[in-house]
Amino acid sequence: MKAAMFGVAIALAAMAVADQRPNFVIVLVDDMGWTDVGAFGSTYYETPNIDALAKGGMKFTQGYATSAVCSPTRASLMTGKSPWKTGVTDWIRGLDGAIWTEEQVRNEPGWNGGANRRLLTPRNPRWVEHSEITIAELLKGAGYATGFVGKWHLGPKGWWPEDQGFDFNAGGNAFGQPPHYFDPYPAKHQPITFPNLDPRRGGEYLTDREADEAAGFLRRNKGNPFLLVLSHYAVHSPIQAKQDLIDKYEAKPNDSKQNFPPYAAMVESVDDAMGTLVSTLKEIGEYENTLIVFTSDNGGAVHFRATDNSPLKKGKGFAYEGGIREPYIFHWPGQIASGTTSEQPIITTDIFPTLSLIHI
C-alpha cells in the first residue's frame, strides 16, 4: 500500500482499537476527467462543494483508475483486486434491461473486441463472481449498514448490489448508462424502464434523485456505522442536464478548452449532490466521524464532445494518462490534515485495503 494511503489506514486501525468505528462514504463519478473540478484545475466547471472537500482534506495529484473503462475499475473498487484477477478487463456488454439466467450468461462467449481488431482483449465475464469478497460484505460482517446508490454495471440480475453485500440499493443494475436523466427515465429499447429506481416525480433529475436516496440512507442509519457508495451515472452520456444550468454556462465567459455547457451543467449537479451529502452528514451528527473518498472510474470522454483532459493525452477508453488519471480526494475531519496535497501515486485498488483495516 502506498505511504499516504497507509497513513489513512493506520488512523482507521487506531479508531477501531478505540471502538470508534468511522463511517465510509465513497463517491464515484462516471467518466469524470482529472481536471473536471475546480480543485484540480478547471476554470470553467463550478464545483464549490467538491473544492471545499479538497480544501478540508487531502488531494492526490497522481491518482489513477485501474482501467480506462468503467466495469473493471468498479470491480476493483468492490474487491480490491486488479482487473486481471477479477477477470473483468473490459466493460460488461449486452445485458441492459434483460433478465438472464446463470446458465445463459455462462454459456455466452464473452467479448473479445471483434475479429477485425489487430489486438483483441481477453474474454470478459459478465459479472463479478459471488466468490469474490466485496468491501460491502466485509464491512457488513463487521456490523456496518451498507448502501449503494447509482451505477453498478457489474452483472445482470442476481449479481446486483443486494447480491454482493449491500443492504440497500437504489438504481444499481446492469445498466452502463441511464436510459434518460429525467424521470420517468424513458427508454424505447428497454423492457424495464429503470430497475431498482421507480419513477416518482416527473422531470426530476437523476443526479438529484441519487443524492436524495443517499441522504435517506444516511438518515436511516444515524448512530450506526455505515458504508455508502454513491456511484453517479453522471457525467456519462447521454449528455443531458437541467436547462437552467445549461443556460448559466452558455452565458458564462470562457477561454478554456472545457467549453460544453450541457456537460458543465452535469458536473455542477454532481457537485450539488456532494453538498447534499455533506449537509446530511452534519445534520445527523456523523460528519466528523466519516471518511469521504471522492474519485472517478476512468478518464473524461474525449471521443465525442464532452470535456478536455489537456495536457494529458486522450481520455476514456485509451490507456494513456488522459484515460486513467483521476481526481482523488480523501476527507476526514480531525484525522486527515486540511488543505494537504500528496504526489504519491495511488490507484483504485488502494481503497479496499485502506477501508478494510477497520476490520482487524
Side-chain angles (χ1 to χ4, degrees), residues 21-295:
R21 293 179 295 174
N23 309 304
F24 304 113
V25 173
I26 301 173
V27 179
L28 182 69
V29 188
D30 195 3
D31 289 3
M32 175 169 271
W34 75 302
T35 59
D36 280 359
V37 297
F40 283 81
S42 179
T43 59
Y44 182 52
Y45 308 137
E46 297 183 19
T47 55
N49 294 299
I50 297 171
D51 297 348
L53 198 75
K55 187 175 181 180
M58 179 176 287
K59 180 175 70 172
F60 289 84
T61 60
Q62 300 290 324
Y64 290 88
T66 54
S67 173
V69 290
C70 57
S71 295
T73 298
R74 292 166 185 277
S76 291
L77 175 65
M78 288 296 119
T79 65
K81 293 184 177 182
S82 299
W84 74 271
K85 286 189 175 181
T86 64
V88 182
T89 57
D90 202 353
W91 61 278
I92 296 173
R93 291 163 167 80
L95 301 175
D96 289 5
I99 304 299
W100 291 61
T101 67
E102 181 170 347
E103 181 180 4
Q104 285 175 314
V105 178
R106 290 199 183 280
N107 287 335
E108 282 291 297
W111 176 265
N112 66 1
N116 62 330
R117 303 291 181 92
R118 290 198 317 169
L119 299 175
L120 305 183
T121 62
R123 294 289 182 179
N124 200 54
R126 303 285 186 166
W127 56 49
V128 172
E129 294 286 358
H130 287 138
S131 58
E132 297 287 358
I133 298 174
T134 69
I135 187 63
E137 290 169 328
L138 187 68
L139 292 177
K140 184 175 181 177
Y144 276 66
T146 53
F148 186 91
V149 178
K151 176 177 171 176
W152 179 246
H153 203 191
L154 290 175
K157 188 174 177 61
W159 287 265
W160 289 352
E162 58 266 39
D163 306 302
Q164 300 279 25
F166 287 95
D167 302 314
F168 172 72
N169 173 27
N173 51 64
F175 286 179
Q177 65 184 59
H180 203 275
Y181 272 97
F182 291 93
D183 188 304
Y185 320 114
K188 295 180 180 179
H189 65 288
Q190 290 161 336
I192 303 173
T193 301
F194 211 132
N196 296 326
L197 199 71
D198 294 333
R200 68 175 188 180
R201 287 197 293 268
E204 182 177 28
Y205 192 60
L206 177 58
T207 307
D208 296 343
R209 172 72 180 275
E210 291 168 345
D212 187 61
E213 295 284 355
F217 172 82
L218 295 177
R219 292 189 182 102
R220 290 191 299 273
N221 290 284
K222 175 183 178 180
N224 299 312
F226 54 77
L227 164 70
L228 169 65
V229 179
L230 174 53
S231 177
H232 288 296
Y233 278 94
V235 288
H236 195 291
S237 61
I239 304 299
Q240 298 170 341
K242 293 184 282 189
Q243 190 59 52
D244 61 329
L245 291 180
I246 295 174
D247 293 343
K248 169 186 172 178
Y249 284 95
E250 285 180 341
K252 181 178 179 177
N254 177 41
D255 59 2
S256 168
K257 291 182 179 179
Q258 297 173 333
N259 55 20
F260 189 33
Y263 183 89
M266 294 180 79
V267 171
E268 183 161 336
S269 288
V270 168
D271 185 74
D272 289 341
M274 180 62 76
T276 298
L277 274 184
V278 170
S279 64
T280 304
L281 287 169
K282 291 179 178 179
E283 169 197 323
I284 66 174
E286 296 288 355
Y287 176 70
E288 301 291 331
N289 193 39
T290 300
L291 169 63
I292 302 175
V293 180
F294 175 87
T295 189

